[in-house]
């Protein structure tokens, strides 16, 4: 099939999906922006409710994760409007893009802990090993968010919140699944609460034996490539008084991945071992009936990668990165129509690199920040916000960012549905990584900050009966002074512009039928030559679920992408459509059986050139919950 015919097919499929969705289909976690009353933590430091938020965001909850049988969080994120991933294998090195951004322009948080590896090329975080067990909620905030979160948030923010025990007693939850390629995945969590004390302790594990990472159609594929992971996580919280609490959270992860070169696979001992550790202590205080809220958070994240192979040191090439943060935020609701937030942040990033690849170095950089935000509600159903931030970096000095949003709700505007009109504009900044600055072979200490501007506008439409939610966004972003790798080193001067449309919908058509739809059109260009940046222009997902019995659900899910050129080797990857089938049966309140068939029609496809994906494969699992006390 030619590239032209593939693009035509993808475009036709896109139109068909939109036509299917227009009566009111969609993905539940992508919208529900006015029906929900729970505060969206990531969208504003002032604590706005969904109907008051002028930015584009999505929310995924624990029920969504279980319904989609998610083991790795990255896999479900790709079904949200505006998000694309470059790898869907367990442990596979994946870039996550929001609205055409690079992976290092997306900030990831877990319980307030900023995740980012200072020993990586540009302090980016890889979501390859984040599991879904114990995740209560995921908030995805699109567009420039540097005024709220500093560097690394040009593309957006992914905020992950873990579960906590909310009722007195002791509960044991567990899940286990197995399937194709020798896959075993499992985990268990112990939740407990007594009075003001709540605790959680979790353990997870994963193992699969292949197949090869190298795609057979791109080169020889002669050996399977295994991946293994185990990890622990926990939380302990204590409500000291009605107005004061202290919370400690953390996790550790240990992974081992076989490695192959792009487009080829040779029998070798090349592999990487990665250790990740994170911890945080947070103190929350409120006064004046909750109108004044203060939070102090100290967090730590460390990642160590050891590469073993024919060209590394015998003890492995080591990349060790550490990130420490101290953040204070104070929010005050002055009146019913005015809220003000002020805060500050201290951050230290350090790396220790010992390699035969490009040399050794030890470096660190620190950033001091102050920020503020104002939320105004001058009229009923109208919310305006403005935010400003100043960062002072020890390497290259200070830079500022700002952001403004507007949201206006028209109750019962269209056939009884609430219509929210919204828009946002913001600037962003991305600091260079320590590797880009100081690597003995490729580094450039003269690098400075990447800068961006972006805006979006759209609407959210929600009906309560029948439950239908629809969201549409138009967006543009412009990044200047991008850091590029040219020949044998990094330099400034890159420029790119992205624009596009995001569409999402969800509908509970009848008690036994629900449908969801997401679609993204993206134009991402390199300037001034105006050449294609390589991101897929069309992508999306369709899901149809039926409930033939009260406790039985059957879901058919289709995912598609058009042609892309984003693998970095200047070789195009054809567009594709894949179909999955998911079945779940709840035996009782304590036991659920489930299974899924991935790539039902055994489609031969690649997300980026040279890397394989799963063909036809199957998995079965069980979830159980037991009240111990």
């Amino acid at each position: 099939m030619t590239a032209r015919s593939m693009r035509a097919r993808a475009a036709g499929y896109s139109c068909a999906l939109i036509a299917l969705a227009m009566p009111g289909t969609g993905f539940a976690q992508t919208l529900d922006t006015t029906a929900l009353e729970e505060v969206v933590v990531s969208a504003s430091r002032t604590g706005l409710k969904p109907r008051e938020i002028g930015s584009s965001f999505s929310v995924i909850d624990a029920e969504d994760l279980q319904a989609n049988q998610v083991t790795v969080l990255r896999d479900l994120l790709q079904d949200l409007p505006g998000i694309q991933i470059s790898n869907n294998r367990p442990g596979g090195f994946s870039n996550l893009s929001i609205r055409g951004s690079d992976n290092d322009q997306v900030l990831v948080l877990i319980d307030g802990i900023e995740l980012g590896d200072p020993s990586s090329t540009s302090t980016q975080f890889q979501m390859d090993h984040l599991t879904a067990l114990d995740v209560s909620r995921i908030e995805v905030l699109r567009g420039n968010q540097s005024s709220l979160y500093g560097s690394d948030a040009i593309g957006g923010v992914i905020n992950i919140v873990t579960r906590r025990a909310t009722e007195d007693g002791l509960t044991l939850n567990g899940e286990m699944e197995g399937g194709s390629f020798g896959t075993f995945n499992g985990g268990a969590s112990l939740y407990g609460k007594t009075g003001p004390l709540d605790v959680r302790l979790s353990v997870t594990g994963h193992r699969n034996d292949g197949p090869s990472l190298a795609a057979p159609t791109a080169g020889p594929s002669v050996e399977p490539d295994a991946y293994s992971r185990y990890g622990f996580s926990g939380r302990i919280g204590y409500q000291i008084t009605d107005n004061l609490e202290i919370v400690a959270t953390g996790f550790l992860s240990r992974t081992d991945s076989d490695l192959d070169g792009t487009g080829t696979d040779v029998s070798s001992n090349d592999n990487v071992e990665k250790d990740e550790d994170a911890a945080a202590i947070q103190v929350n205080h409120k006064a004046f009936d909750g109108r004044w809220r203060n939070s102090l958070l100290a967090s730590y994240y460390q990642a160590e990668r050891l590469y073993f192979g024919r060209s590394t040191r015998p003890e492995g090439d080591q990349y060790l990165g550490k990130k420490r943060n101290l953040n204070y935020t104070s929010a005050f609701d002055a009146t019913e129509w005015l809220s003000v937030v002020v805060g500050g942040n201290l951050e230290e990033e350090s790396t220790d690199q010992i390699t035969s690849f490009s040399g050794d170095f030890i470096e660190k950089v620190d950033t001091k920040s102050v920020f503020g935000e104002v939320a105004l509600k001058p009229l009923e159903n109208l919310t305006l916000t403005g935010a400003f931030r100043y960062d002072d970096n020890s390497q290259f000095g200070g830079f500022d960012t700002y952001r403004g949003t507007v949201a206006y709700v028209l109750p019962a505007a269209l056939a009884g549905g609430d219509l929210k009109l919204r828009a946002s504009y913001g600037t962003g900044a991305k600091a260079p990584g320590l590797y880009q600055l100081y690597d003995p072979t490729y580094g450039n200490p003269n690098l400075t900050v990447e800068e961006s501007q972006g805006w979006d506008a759209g609407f959210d439409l929600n009906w309560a009966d029948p439950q239908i939610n629809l969201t549409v966004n138009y967006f543009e972003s412009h990044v200047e002074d991008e850091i590029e790798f040219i020949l044998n080193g990094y330099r400034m001067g890159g420029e790119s512009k992205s624009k596009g449309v995001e569409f999402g919908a969800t509908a509970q058509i009848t008690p036994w039928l629900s449908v969801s739809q997401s679609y993204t059109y993206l134009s991402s260009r390199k300037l001034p030559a105006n050449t294609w940046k390589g991101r897929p222009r069309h992508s999306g997902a369709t899901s149809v679920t039926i409930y033939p019995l009260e406790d039985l659900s059957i879901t058919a899910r289709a995912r598609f992408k058009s042609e892309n050129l984003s693998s970095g080797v200047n070789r195009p990857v054809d567009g594709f459509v894949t179909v999955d089938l998911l079945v779940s049966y709840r035996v009782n309140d304590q036991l659920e059986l489930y299974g899924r068939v991935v790539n039902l029609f055994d489609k031969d496809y690649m997300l980026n050139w040279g890397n394989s994906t799963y063909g036809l494969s199957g998995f079965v699992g069980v979830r159980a919950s037991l009240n111990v006390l």
Side-chain angles (χ1 to χ4, degrees):
M1 180 176 293
T2 66
R4 177 177 295 179
S5 62
M6 189 64 234
R7 287 193 294 267
R9 180 178 177 181
Y13 183 70
S14 306
C15 295
L17 295 183
I18 294 177
L20 174 64
M22 288 310 293
T25 64
F27 206 12
Q29 58 264 39
T30 66
L31 312 195
D32 211 4
T33 56
T34 58
L36 292 174
E37 288 302 318
E38 185 174 355
V39 168
V40 179
V41 177
S42 60
S44 171
R45 302 275 186 170
T46 61
L48 298 180
K49 295 179 181 179
R51 65 185 291 113
E52 301 167 333
I53 295 171
S55 296
S56 172
F57 73 94
S58 299
V59 175
I60 299 172
D61 61 25
E63 292 183 358
D64 296 319
L65 295 170
Q66 290 190 359
N68 286 274
Q69 302 180 20
V70 177
T71 58
V72 181
L73 293 180
R74 168 200 66 194
D75 294 343
L76 188 57
L77 291 173
Q78 67 178 315
D79 294 338
L80 300 180
I83 296 184
Q84 297 173 346
I85 65 173
S86 64
N87 200 317
N88 60 8
R89 285 180 53 124
F93 184 90
S94 178
N95 289 315
L96 185 145
S97 172
I98 299 180
R99 294 179 170 176
S101 73
D102 294 330
N103 188 76
D104 61 359
Q105 297 170 341
V106 177
L107 178 65
V108 181
L109 305 168
I110 293 185
D111 294 329
I113 304 172
E114 287 195 16
L115 304 181
D117 181 4
S119 72
S120 68
T121 303
S122 54
T123 320
Q124 62 185 323
F125 178 70
Q126 300 299 140
M127 294 193 65
D128 313 323
H129 313 299
L130 285 183
T131 64
L133 185 75
D134 290 324
V135 172
S136 172
R137 181 180 175 90
I138 304 173
E139 300 171 352
V140 178
L141 192 60
R142 302 179 188 87
N144 279 313
Q145 309 299 332
S146 291
S147 61
L148 295 179
Y149 294 98
S151 185
D152 307 334
I154 287 178
V157 175
I158 297 174
N159 180 46
I160 302 167
V161 181
T162 61
R163 295 185 186 181
R164 60 177 295 185
T166 57
E167 297 180 358
D168 282 356
L170 190 63
T171 302
L172 177 64
N173 291 342
E175 61 182 55
M176 179 175 60
E177 74 171 47
S180 300
F181 312 111
T183 296
F184 173 83
N185 182 75
S189 301
L190 189 65
Y191 296 85
K193 187 177 188 302
T194 174
L197 177 68
D198 69 90
V199 296
R200 172 180 58 81
L201 179 62
S202 306
V203 58
T204 59
H206 183 99
R207 169 77 191 185
N208 73 281
D209 297 328
S212 172
L213 289 172
T217 55
S221 178
V222 298
E223 65 164 358
D225 294 301
Y227 166 74
S228 63
R229 177 198 177 276
Y230 69 88
F232 301 90
S233 67
R235 169 198 161 95
I236 180 168
Y238 190 77
Q239 193 75 39
I240 301 172
T241 68
D242 290 342
N243 296 321
L244 181 65
E245 70 169 350
I246 184 169
V247 178
T249 59
F251 72 87
L252 66 85
S253 170
R254 303 290 183 261
T255 62
D256 191 336
S257 306
D258 282 358
L259 297 177
D260 286 314
T262 301
T264 185
D265 182 4
V266 294
S267 182
S268 69
N269 294 319
D270 291 357
N271 73 294
V272 57
E273 297 176 1
K274 184 175 183 180
D275 297 347
E276 295 178 272
D277 303 276
I281 296 178
Q282 184 170 9
V283 179
N284 299 314
H285 176 263
K286 59 184 179 180
F288 303 115
D289 297 325
R291 291 170 53 207
W292 186 26
R293 303 172 298 280
N294 296 275
S295 177
L296 180 65
L297 174 70
S299 66
Y300 171 82
Y301 172 78
Q302 173 179 300
E304 180 182 28
R305 292 170 291 137
L306 284 174
Y307 290 86
F308 298 92
R310 291 158 293 177
S311 59
T312 65
R313 303 182 312 142
E315 59 270 42
D317 279 7
Q318 173 190 281
Y319 298 83
L320 175 63
K322 299 178 181 180
K323 190 170 188 176
R324 302 175 178 90
N325 281 82
L326 180 64
N327 183 279
Y328 170 71
T329 304
S330 180
F332 183 62
D333 298 333
T335 67
E336 291 183 356
W337 54 270
L338 174 64
S339 298
V340 180
V341 176
V342 295
N345 187 75
L346 300 175
E347 179 178 272
E348 181 186 85
E349 299 174 355
S350 64
T351 185
D352 185 352
Q353 175 178 306
I354 307 173
T355 77
S356 63
F357 174 67
S358 60
D360 307 342
F361 73 95
I362 299 176
E363 289 289 349
K364 69 177 181 179
V365 64
D366 61 76
T367 305
K368 304 177 182 69
S369 310
V370 292
F371 55 86
E373 185 182 12
V374 175
L376 294 171
K377 304 172 187 177
L379 301 173
E380 185 178 5
N381 299 323
L382 174 64
T383 305
L384 308 172
T385 71
F388 176 83
R389 184 185 185 99
Y390 181 79
D391 295 275
D392 183 21
N393 185 282
S394 61
Q395 166 65 22
F396 40 76
F399 53 95
D400 57 77
T401 54
Y402 58 90
R403 174 175 175 263
T405 73
V406 56
Y408 183 64
V409 177
L410 297 168
L414 281 175
D418 291 348
L419 175 66
K420 182 177 76 170
L421 306 176
R422 51 176 169 71
S424 69
Y425 176 86
T427 63
K430 166 60 183 171
L434 293 171
Y435 182 91
Q436 293 171 323
L437 288 166
Y438 301 118
D439 181 79
T441 301
Y442 304 110
N444 179 358
N446 297 317
L447 299 175
T448 58
V449 176
E450 297 178 343
E451 297 181 347
S452 74
Q453 310 87 38
W455 66 275
D456 61 24
F459 65 87
D460 303 318
L461 183 58
N462 300 271
W463 287 273
D465 187 19
Q467 185 177 341
I468 301 174
N469 306 288
L470 172 69
T471 185
V472 177
N473 309 308
Y474 176 82
F475 62 87
E476 289 189 8
S477 65
H478 184 196
V479 184
E480 300 174 290
D481 296 325
E482 286 186 302
I483 299 172
E484 299 179 312
F485 186 84
I486 304 294
L487 297 177
N488 293 315
Y490 292 95
R491 73 174 189 184
M492 307 292 298
E495 187 177 0
S496 64
K497 186 173 184 178
S498 299
K499 61 182 179 179
V501 177
E502 298 162 340
F503 171 88
T506 180
Q508 188 72 45
I509 297 175
T510 71
W512 55 268
L513 175 64
S514 63
V515 187
S516 70
Q517 176 66 56
S518 68
Y519 168 74
T520 303
Y521 168 75
L522 172 68
S523 173
S524 186
R525 316 290 294 183
K526 295 180 180 179
L527 302 178
N530 198 33
T531 57
W532 182 35
K533 195 174 179 179
R535 302 284 191 264
R537 295 181 176 89
H538 306 277
S539 61
T542 303
S543 181
V544 179
T545 301
I546 61 173
Y547 307 89
L549 300 174
E550 182 178 359
D551 297 313
L552 175 65
S553 67
I554 303 173
T555 299
R557 178 179 62 202
R559 290 167 171 159
F560 82 97
K561 285 186 179 181
S562 61
E563 178 188 35
N564 79 77
L565 192 66
S566 56
S567 60
V569 295
N570 202 33
R571 297 193 182 186
V573 174
D574 289 338
F576 64 86
V577 178
T578 62
V579 177
D580 305 328
L581 184 65
L582 300 84
V583 179
S584 174
Y585 179 68
R586 180 165 291 279
V587 180
N588 51 47
D589 290 340
Q590 288 76 42
L591 183 64
E592 179 185 5
L593 307 176
Y594 65 89
R596 64 186 179 277
V597 178
V598 175
N599 199 353
L600 180 64
F601 300 112
D602 201 22
K603 174 68 176 179
D604 184 10
Y605 73 102
M606 292 182 285
L607 286 171
N608 59 80
W609 191 88
N611 292 327
S612 71
T613 53
Y614 278 173
L616 175 64
S617 50
F619 306 88
V620 294
V622 57
R623 295 191 187 97
S625 179
L626 176 65
N627 294 324
V628 180
L629 293 175

